Amino acid sequence: MNLGYAKKRKCTGSMTIESLFLFPVMLGILYASAIYGVTFFGKYQMQDAVDRAVAAALHVDRSAYAAGDVPAAVKERAEAALTNFKGSLPDSWSGSLVSNCLTELAGEVEVIFCSLTYPDFSTNPIAPSLNFGFLGEFPPLPNELHAEARAAF
C-alpha cells in the first residue's frame, strides 16, 4: 500500500564529497562578508566623525572675529571637534588614526578640510584576516582607510 510518501533515498558518497568541497567555500564567503562588514562599518564611523567635525566648524560666529581671524577660529573648532569625535571611536583602533584639519582657498572661497586616516590598515586591521601561506591573506584588505570632508565657509 503506497500512501504517496516519497521513498527514502540512500545517501551516496558523492554528496559527502560535494559537501567537503562546498563547506570551505561557504565558510570563506561568510568570513569575508563579516570582515568586509566590519571594515565598511569602521570606514562609515570615520566618515561620520569628519562630517560632524566639519559641520561643527561651520557654527563659528563670524561676527565675533576679525575677518582675518575667522579661518583660524574655524580650523581650531574643527580640530577640537575631530579630536572629540575621534575619541568616541573604538579604543582598539582609534589610537592608530591620524587626523588633520586645515583651511584652504578654493578660488575666492575659504574651505575647511578635515581628514581621518587609518594608515596601516592592511598590517593592523580592525578584524584579523587569515594567512594561507603561498595563497596570501584572505580576504584582501585595503592598505589604508581614509575619510575626508570639506565645506566652504
Side-chain angles (χ1 to χ4, degrees):
M1 180 165 139
N2 187 356
L3 299 175
Y5 296 116
K7 292 183 179 182
K8 289 188 177 180
R9 209 172 107 195
K10 289 186 176 183
C11 183
T12 62
S14 66
M15 289 185 74
T16 305
I17 292 172
E18 290 168 355
S19 299
L20 286 174
F21 284 122
L22 191 57
F23 180 72
V25 171
M26 293 304 295
L27 193 62
I29 290 171
L30 286 174
Y31 186 73
S33 64
I35 295 297
Y36 285 141
V38 169
T39 301
F40 290 136
F41 184 66
K43 168 93 165 128
Y44 168 77
Q45 287 179 308
M46 290 171 55
Q47 187 65 50
D48 184 51
V50 294
D51 287 344
R52 291 171 60 189
V54 166
L58 297 178
H59 290 283
V60 169
D61 183 12
R62 297 179 73 146
S63 65
Y65 299 96
D69 296 337
V70 172
V74 168
K75 179 183 176 188
E76 182 181 329
R77 182 158 178 141
E79 287 174 342
L82 187 56
T83 301
N84 184 31
F85 295 134
K86 189 170 95 168
S88 68
L89 297 174
D91 292 334
S92 60
W93 52 280
S94 65
S96 301
L97 296 175
V98 177
S99 60
N100 186 24
C101 285
L102 54 99
T103 57
E104 54 189 28
L105 196 59
E108 296 179 10
V109 178
E110 288 281 341
V111 176
I112 181 70
F113 170 75
C114 289
S115 67
L116 202 55
T117 304
Y118 192 130
D120 57 345
F121 188 76
S122 62
T123 58
N124 186 21
I126 297 170
S129 57
L130 301 174
N131 189 353
F132 289 108
F134 67 92
L135 293 176
E137 296 282 326
F138 181 79
L141 296 171
N143 292 331
E144 69 176 24
L145 292 182
H146 182 76
E148 62 183 39
R150 51 179 62 127
F153 63 93

